[in-house]
Amino acid sequence: MVLHYAHAGACAAVLLLSSVGTLVALLITLSAVIAAYPIRLSNHLVLAWFLLAGALFVSEGELTSYVVWCLVLMFFFAALAKINHSYFSSSESCGHHFARVLISFWGLKKIRDSRVLSWLSGAGVVVAEFAASILLVDSRTRILGAVCALLLMVLFGLLCHVHFAVIVFAALLEGVHAETVSVRPWWMVCSTVGALLAVRFGNWRLYRNRRLARLNQLVFGAIAGMCTGAVASAAVQSPAPAAQIEIPSGVGALLLVMFLLNGAAPYLGIKTSYSFAMFSNLRPDHWNHYLIRRPLRPFKIDYITIDEPPGLPSLNSLNGDPQLQRIVSELHLWQYRRYTHRFLIEAERVLKEEGHLAPAVRFGRKAQNRRTTHLTVFPLTLPEPGAGVFD
């Protein structure tokens, strides 16, 4: 927790006084936060690290090219990962699932299972991500690419991934404006409209603390609205403010190579986590990618199955805690699921933080299957009502 407070302080320092010193402090705290993540690293932290490293170590004349290349590669890898059978299957697709969630928030439940929604959340998203990746490269089409990226990130943020969307917004502004521009009065109108729309259509009702979640969406909408105004200004500005991008030299080139290798890691058989394959249904154990038939080398995976009923509480007893409900609902499907060791560790951590007794576990391997670990979970005891740390 102290580390997160230190990082938040570094962020505030950059906002109040942007200098090399505050940026270095921010990079140090961000690196420490990333290193401290024990389970799963979020993609937005990876993107933020590369953008921040570029701001410090890439020359001013090459910074715009560097930032645009980061966006181009990110959207390319995000789209590439989704070209698999599971993502285009409406019953399994993460994209279709989240689209149905958003549609439900908007009160359009009648079209949740329509073919149009299935296509938009499947092929539509892939086309938009590839389009953003391609269009951002050329200065003549960069505004169109920025619009594609903006629309994708607005939907992403309304769903709940505000952090990722805001980081992409900042990168987009660097890509479409060659020079620093002053805030225009009508941007504030866009910001106000964005805030109101985000509160109406954003995901804040599923959180325990709805007031904070609503405030989060309010701020996100304001930022998204202002970013929309800035992109619109770049579109009507003459001559075109966007410059042709080039391959950076020196440290910039090295950072881009690192970015490229991270995004290509699933296809090299190294990892799928934080390689911008988020919500793509790309699975190392059931590889069904249409273009890349198999990774360069086989993944080494050790899945865990639960061999006894885990004695979990009913979901109704966890009303008001969506995170814990999601974890427990996955564990309730122990007969049909295989889990990663990381998921079970994270589940145990959340159960502890929520004031519940974490399940005791015992590992044992079957001799006939070296790659399957069987797990016994003993009954979970619930505390008295009101004992949760977030109540």
Side-chain angles (χ1 to χ4, degrees):
M1 187 62 71
V2 173
L3 183 57
H4 285 277
Y5 282 135
H7 183 55
C11 291
V14 171
L15 289 175
L16 295 174
L17 178 62
S18 181
S19 65
V20 173
T22 55
L23 288 174
V24 168
L26 183 58
L27 182 62
I28 291 174
T29 57
L30 177 58
S31 300
V33 168
I34 290 174
Y37 261 65
I39 306 300
R40 182 182 64 244
L41 189 61
S42 299
N43 287 280
H44 74 279
L45 294 178
V46 177
L47 179 62
W49 190 93
F50 275 101
L51 293 177
L52 186 54
L56 279 170
F57 301 115
V58 177
S59 66
E60 186 176 351
E62 296 180 328
L63 182 58
T64 297
S65 293
Y66 172 82
V67 170
V68 173
W69 276 119
C70 285
L71 291 177
V72 167
L73 292 173
M74 183 202 73
F75 281 112
F76 172 79
F77 283 121
L80 180 63
K82 294 180 177 68
I83 305 180
N84 63 79
H85 177 77
S86 298
Y87 185 79
F88 290 103
S89 171
S90 60
S91 61
E92 301 178 58
S93 173
C94 285
H96 189 227
H97 167 73
F98 289 126
R100 294 174 79 247
V101 171
L102 269 182
I103 288 295
S104 299
F105 291 152
W106 299 346
L108 303 174
K109 296 182 179 181
K110 292 184 178 180
I111 64 172
R112 284 192 309 176
D113 298 311
S114 66
R115 291 185 178 180
V116 173
L117 184 65
S118 179
W119 187 90
L120 288 174
S121 59
V125 170
V126 174
V127 169
E129 288 177 334
F130 271 131
S133 177
I134 295 170
L135 295 172
L136 283 170
V137 174
D138 195 294
S139 63
R140 294 166 295 183
T141 59
R142 192 168 305 151
I143 294 298
L144 293 177
V147 170
C148 287
L150 187 66
L151 290 174
L152 286 167
M153 290 301 106
V154 165
L155 293 175
F156 213 41
L158 291 176
L159 181 62
C160 68
H161 299 284
V162 171
H163 32 38
F164 194 99
V166 170
I167 292 170
V168 174
F169 288 161
L172 285 174
L173 293 184
E174 173 65 29
V176 299
H177 285 284
E179 299 178 355
T180 303
V181 293
S182 301
V183 175
R184 314 290 168 79
W186 63 275
W187 291 8
M188 305 308 296
V189 177
C190 294
S191 183
T192 302
V193 173
L196 295 175
L197 290 175
V199 171
R200 169 61 183 85
F201 296 106
N203 170 21
W204 52 265
R205 297 168 183 83
L206 294 182
Y207 289 85
R208 173 182 293 184
N209 194 326
R210 292 186 174 184
R211 290 183 180 180
L212 285 179
R214 187 184 300 177
L215 177 62
N216 193 41
Q217 282 292 334
L218 183 74
V219 174
F220 165 71
I223 295 173
M226 186 167 290
C227 185
T228 301
V231 171
S233 293
V236 300
Q237 194 171 344
S238 181
Q244 292 288 2
I245 62 171
E246 300 176 351
I247 303 295
S249 58
V251 177
L254 177 62
L255 288 171
L256 284 181
V257 170
M258 293 169 58
F259 197 102
L260 180 66
L261 289 175
N262 178 64
Y267 316 103
L268 300 176
I270 300 174
K271 64 182 180 68
T272 57
S273 301
Y274 52 91
S275 289
F276 308 113
M278 53 277 191
F279 312 122
S280 65
N281 289 90
L282 190 65
R283 294 177 58 92
D285 65 317
H286 185 57
W287 189 273
N288 54 14
H289 201 279
Y290 286 128
L291 299 181
I292 302 172
R293 305 305 297 177
R294 62 180 61 85
L296 183 63
R297 69 187 188 94
F299 278 95
K300 294 182 179 180
I301 312 163
D302 191 11
Y303 282 104
I304 297 170
T305 59
I306 297 178
D307 57 11
E308 292 182 12
L312 295 167
S314 67
L315 295 179
N316 292 334
S317 65
L318 303 173
N319 284 337
D321 193 335
Q323 183 185 32
L324 193 55
Q325 279 187 326
R326 177 63 187 273
I327 290 174
V328 173
S329 67
E330 290 293 336
L331 292 174
H332 268 295
L333 299 173
W334 62 275
Q335 292 177 299
Y336 313 101
R337 290 278 196 268
R338 293 190 301 163
Y339 305 95
T340 64
H341 190 200
R342 290 184 175 185
F343 173 82
L344 292 174
I345 292 176
E346 187 168 1
E348 183 176 0
R349 177 185 63 80
V350 172
L351 288 167
K352 284 182 177 178
E353 290 180 355
E354 291 292 325
H356 304 290
L357 292 180
V361 297
R362 183 175 68 247
F363 293 95
R365 293 181 181 276
K366 272 191 172 182
Q368 67 270 26
N369 187 350
R370 295 183 178 180
R371 305 196 72 180
T372 301
T373 300
H374 286 264
L375 170 69
T376 301
V377 184
F378 294 97
L380 179 71
T381 304
L382 291 173
E384 293 298 322
V389 297
F390 295 111
D391 285 342

